[in-house]
Amino acid sequence: MNADSWLTDTRDSYDTVAVSYADWIREALAGAPYLRAALAVFADLVRTSGGGPVADVGCGPGHVTAHLHELSLDAFGIDLSPGMIEVARRDHPGLRFEVGTMTDLELADGSVAGLLAFWSLIHVPDEVVPAVLDQFRRVLRPGGPLLIGFHVGTGSRLKTQGYGGHPMRVHVHRRSPDRVAAWLREAGFTVEAQLLTDPDAEVPGAILFARRPRRSDQA
């Protein structure tokens, strides 16, 4: 699988399911108190580190971006899928959304106060994850928090049908929290906390909180 193929497959798949996925996910946070709590902690970390713009990378239809806005963050969304961005702009017209890829973020160095990747790394191949985390570190200002959510487990599966029965072609990767934490440390982040959700489920979830160290921390 080359870089162009997985990016193209992911973009095309989510363009196809954008409307049905938005309908499916719209109320998901309402029934997820631990995820809402994690987002509240993230919002507090952004505020205590000085506040500023927050990037929701892989924002999909914008439901998490909107939730962060409700938590008084200056949040904006970026997604690979133009279809998803169209739905996000339709559903949340007062917020900023743009098409982009986490493999090459069109953001200035140190330009965001916080960054969130909420189950959006799950389609990124293992060999590309370190480069993506380098992008995250580049655009975060020193001291800025990072929150990553992902499926826990091992191996990958090819998803060929999705939301509303529409065809998809995306690989879904499951990873251990220790492995993701190791990648984060190798990219220069400090890992601060870890949350495991639904540990008895077939596919648990995990959230890692990390931070780009301040220059004084590296002295």
Side-chain angles (χ1 to χ4, degrees), residues 36-50:
R36 295 199 310 274
L39 293 172
V41 170
F42 174 73
D44 187 58
L45 292 172
V46 172
R47 285 190 289 268
T48 57
S49 67

Side-chain angles (χ1 to χ4, degrees), residues 168-184:
M168 299 183 75
R169 181 178 173 78
V170 290
H171 284 85
V172 181
H173 306 287
R174 301 174 185 176
R175 284 139 178 166
S176 73
D178 286 347
R179 185 174 196 185
V180 176
W183 276 329
L184 286 165

